[in-house]
Amino acid sequence: MRQKESGRRLFLLTGVASLCMGAPARASDQLDAGGLTFLDFATPDNGASFHRGDGMAAGGPNQVSSRILGVENAKGLARIRFEQIRITVAIPLGWQATEDWERGIAYSSDKRYRLVVWRVDFEFEGVKDAEHYASSKGGAIQSRRPAVKAQARKLGDGSYLVVFENAPKGQGDSEPRTVFDLVIPQPGKPKSGVLMTLGVPASDGGRGIKLLALLKENMKIDW
């Protein structure tokens, strides 16, 4: 079944500029955590945060808490299963996680770090594949918000990283944002994939991309 129209739909604009996929971004052809671990982002609480309710309006009426597969205190992480999109992620202790019919959501206790994971149908989004999606999304956002700087590049494993700098701050944010999009094509099915989006305060951009490396390394997708 095709996805319903959502906030990540690319072509709400009349004109779309594309990015050069060879342009330098804030990463090499591999994401690198730079020696950081989940402990550097965690609040050691033995997974208690995942059992607390929260009023954050992150999902629709079908929003539910995500299933905890395990808590690894020594590593500072919990493994969370997003059932609706069939993806398992590791996120820092002290965070919370929820999901609705089309996406998984996780965020730090102060909500400064926010993660969203989607399934993507590239054809439905109006593009031919993951590369086209990555370049076109960056160009679309830049054409609508000229202050945002976007760079995209292909990583060594065939996924695509798009870095958005100077993204507008949201409600409750004290500064502009840096947002990382990781676009992962489905092996053997180039018209489908997964989008992982991590948004952090602009001043934490260097730490944010290292956390993205940890998230990517520990994500399991049931294709």
Side-chain angles (χ1 to χ4, degrees), residues 83-99:
E83 293 287 2
Q84 293 300 314
I85 57 174
R86 306 184 310 283
I87 294 175
T88 300
V89 297
I91 57 178
L93 293 180
W95 284 38
Q96 291 186 264
T98 186
E99 62 183 292

Side-chain angles (χ1 to χ4, degrees), residues 159-178:
S159 61
Y160 295 86
L161 173 68
V162 191
V163 182
F164 300 94
E165 295 183 286
N166 200 38
K169 60 184 179 181
Q171 184 176 2
D173 293 329
S174 61
E175 61 179 287
R177 310 278 291 170
T178 296

Side-chain angles (χ1 to χ4, degrees), residues 67-82:
R67 182 158 62 98
I68 305 169
L69 299 184
V71 173
E72 300 180 31
N73 289 303
K75 295 182 178 181
L77 63 85
R79 298 196 185 276
I80 303 296
R81 173 70 173 180
F82 294 133

Side-chain angles (χ1 to χ4, degrees), residues 37-50 52 71-73 75-78 91-96 107-110 207:
T37 71
F38 282 102
L39 290 168
D40 293 290
F41 302 92
T43 300
D45 65 353
N46 199 33
S49 64
F50 299 104
R52 293 198 303 264
V71 173
E72 300 180 31
N73 289 303
K75 295 182 178 181
L77 63 85
I91 57 178
L93 293 180
W95 284 38
Q96 291 186 264
Y107 45 92
S108 61
S109 60
D110 58 11
R207 283 173 57 84

Side-chain angles (χ1 to χ4, degrees), residues 127-196:
V127 294
K128 61 182 181 180
D129 56 22
E131 179 178 1
H132 192 194
Y133 180 93
S135 61
S136 298
K137 183 176 180 180
I141 290 177
Q142 283 192 144
S143 66
R144 183 173 59 185
R145 298 183 180 274
V148 176
K149 304 304 179 185
Q151 292 185 335
R153 72 175 301 141
K154 186 176 183 179
L155 301 180
D157 63 357
S159 61
Y160 295 86
L161 173 68
V162 191
V163 182
F164 300 94
E165 295 183 286
N166 200 38
K169 60 184 179 181
Q171 184 176 2
D173 293 329
S174 61
E175 61 179 287
R177 310 278 291 170
T178 296
V179 178
F180 304 100
D181 269 1
L182 182 65
V183 188
I184 305 171
Q186 180 172 351
K189 291 187 176 181
K191 294 189 180 299
S192 300
V194 164
L195 170 65
M196 173 183 280

Side-chain angles (χ1 to χ4, degrees), residues 5-52:
E5 193 161 348
S6 68
R8 70 187 184 286
R9 185 99 167 111
L10 290 178
F11 297 109
L12 299 178
L13 306 172
T14 56
V16 177
S18 293
L19 299 177
C20 174
M21 296 304 296
R26 290 182 173 238
S28 65
D29 65 349
Q30 301 292 336
L31 291 177
D32 184 0
L36 297 187
T37 71
F38 282 102
L39 290 168
D40 293 290
F41 302 92
T43 300
D45 65 353
N46 199 33
S49 64
F50 299 104
H51 299 286
R52 293 198 303 264

